[in-house]
Each structure stands twice: as C-alpha cells, then as structure tokens.
Amino acid sequence: MGQKSGYFNNYSRILKEVRAIAAEKGRSPASVQVLAVTKYASAEQIADLLKGGVDLVAESRLRESLEKWRSPLLKDYKVKKFFIGRLQTNKAAKVVDNFDCICSLDSLHLAQAVERHAAKLGRNIDCLVQIKLTDRETQGGIAPEEAGRLIEDIRKDFKHITLKGLMAIAPDTSDEELLRSCFKKAKSVFDAYFKPEDCLSLGMSGDYKIAVAEGSNLPRIGSAVFK
C-alpha cells in the first residue's frame, strides 16, 4: 500500500467511524467532518492526503506552517486552513492573512487585534471561541462560564469577525467519565450560543470517539491519520 492510499484510508476510516457514532446518537452523519491536523506532517505527506480529496486542514505553528504551505507540492490544492494554535496578538496579522478560520479566539484583546487586521485587509474571517477545559498553563481558552459574555461582545462590536462555533481541548487522561463531563460542559455552552450546524470542535486522536458521542462535529485528528 502506497503512502497516498495509506493516509487517505486512515482519514476515510476515521470519518466513517465518527459518522456512524453520530448516526447512533440520532444526528445526521453528514453533519460531522474531520479536521486533518497537518502540523507534524511534511509537505509530501500532506500532498498524499490531499490527493484523496481532503480539503479541511489545521495547523498550530505559524512560522513552520507558512514555510510548509509555500511548497510547490501543495500550491495547487484548494483547502480551508484552520489555525488551532495559541495565538499571540503580534502574530494576528499573519494568521488573518494566511488562514480561513481562527479556532483559538479566547479574549477581547485578541479579538480586537484580529478585527483590526481583518478590517485592513477588507475581509471577514471565521473564528471559533476556544474554551478551556483543563488547568494547564500552556493551554489557551476562556473559562466556560465567561465564554457567553465574550461571544456576545464579539457579535456586537466586531464587524469583520464571524463566529462559527467553539473549540476546546480536553484533559490528557484515560478517564472516560472525566472526558465526557468536559465535553458535555463545552456542548452546553455551544447549545446556548450557536446553531447545530455551527462548529463544535472537540476531540483529538486519543478521544475523538467520545467527543463525537457527546456532540462534536469537527474533531481534530493528526497522529491517527499520519501514522
């Protein structure tokens, strides 16, 4: 089996799995997509995946991603690029200029920077608000109980930002009950402020099945695709 079929087969298997889980929960299978996290993949590996028709990808390291996506191997593919890394305001301009969706909006200060640069470019940019489900200092995100105010303020004051949903990173644990509890918390915020067809991006390679069972419709999968 060649690399192309291997990576795409991995992606297709995961997509089939998550859509089956959605169907079991009474949701439309087509409402669930898989976001391929390409941050550790080479341009050659990404090209092999994209040949199969994948068009949703995510990166978290700005400088490395800009270098990688300049590759001649990738220039002809039309993809929607999501930025899922922690975003500093001094990098907002380049992210707004090079990505289609920012998934890590977690403060009014950051939203102001994104709004300012989007306005300069004369464009609207899709964003997800990141909520924090762990106590890890290195992870971004706003507390779930504070997310509503941020969402309302962005919708009221920022004309170049279109909020499309939520992203959250669960604790690194094998405790399924804890994971379910965290995902349920994120889902409750999502239900309060977004439509079902918006993005609830929960779950990664180790916990995506639980996340989708609890309502995620855009799990972020990297290592399970590029293994």
Side-chain angles (χ1 to χ4, degrees):
M1 181 182 293
Q3 281 190 329
K4 174 205 166 187
S5 57
Y7 297 143
F8 186 70
N9 280 352
N10 290 340
Y11 180 93
S12 298
R13 173 184 53 78
I14 293 166
L15 183 61
K16 185 177 180 179
E17 285 176 348
V18 297
R19 288 184 166 178
I21 293 169
E24 290 172 3
K25 295 295 181 178
R27 291 149 54 201
S28 167
S31 69
V32 181
Q33 299 289 337
V34 170
L35 183 55
V37 178
T38 54
K39 65 177 179 177
Y40 294 126
S42 66
E44 290 80 6
Q45 290 173 314
I46 297 169
D48 283 338
L49 178 67
L50 300 184
K51 287 173 186 175
V54 175
D55 60 1
L56 301 177
V57 300
E59 293 275 350
S60 65
R61 299 180 297 180
L62 178 61
R63 182 175 58 82
E64 292 88 340
S65 70
L66 294 181
E67 293 174 357
K68 185 165 44 181
W69 285 90
R70 292 189 189 106
S71 168
L73 294 172
L74 302 177
K75 65 182 180 64
D76 293 331
Y77 290 103
K78 303 297 182 185
V79 298
K80 185 172 182 178
K81 289 196 290 184
F82 293 69
F83 186 80
I84 61 173
R86 195 167 189 178
L87 180 57
Q88 298 170 324
T89 55
N90 64 344
K91 296 181 179 178
K94 284 190 175 181
V95 171
V96 170
D97 198 25
N98 288 278
F99 287 82
D100 301 290
C101 183
I102 297 171
C103 302
S104 47
L105 205 59
D106 63 359
S107 71
L108 205 57
H109 182 59
L110 179 57
Q112 289 167 341
V114 170
E115 169 74 12
R116 183 167 61 252
H117 294 300
K120 285 180 181 178
L121 292 173
R123 65 167 294 196
N124 280 61
I125 185 157
D126 292 344
C127 292
L128 306 185
V129 168
Q130 182 178 357
I131 59 176
K132 190 164 187 175
L133 300 177
T134 77
D135 57 3
R136 287 171 57 187
E137 291 291 333
T138 55
Q139 272 186 11
I142 188 169
E145 58 271 17
E146 297 174 6
R149 177 64 181 274
L150 177 62
I151 291 165
E152 291 173 348
D153 285 345
I154 291 171
R155 285 175 171 163
K156 177 169 62 77
D157 296 330
F158 301 119
K159 307 304 181 186
H160 295 83
I161 293 174
T162 302
L163 290 183
K164 290 291 189 178
L166 299 177
M167 180 182 81
I169 301 171
D172 184 11
T173 178
S174 58
D175 184 339
E176 290 194 10
E177 288 308 310
L178 176 57
L179 289 170
R180 289 186 191 281
S181 174
C182 289
F183 292 143
K184 286 179 187 293
K185 184 181 295 185
K187 180 66 159 55
S188 68
V189 178
F190 178 80
D191 288 343
Y193 292 97
F194 293 96
K195 300 174 183 177
E197 61 268 25
D198 288 327
C199 296
L200 180 57
S201 184
L202 308 173
M204 298 188 292
S205 290
D207 57 19
Y208 67 88
K209 294 179 184 178
I210 299 170
V212 173
E214 296 301 331
S216 175
N217 58 21
L218 191 66
R220 307 174 303 277
I221 314 295
S223 60
V225 170
F226 293 103
K227 62 181 181 180

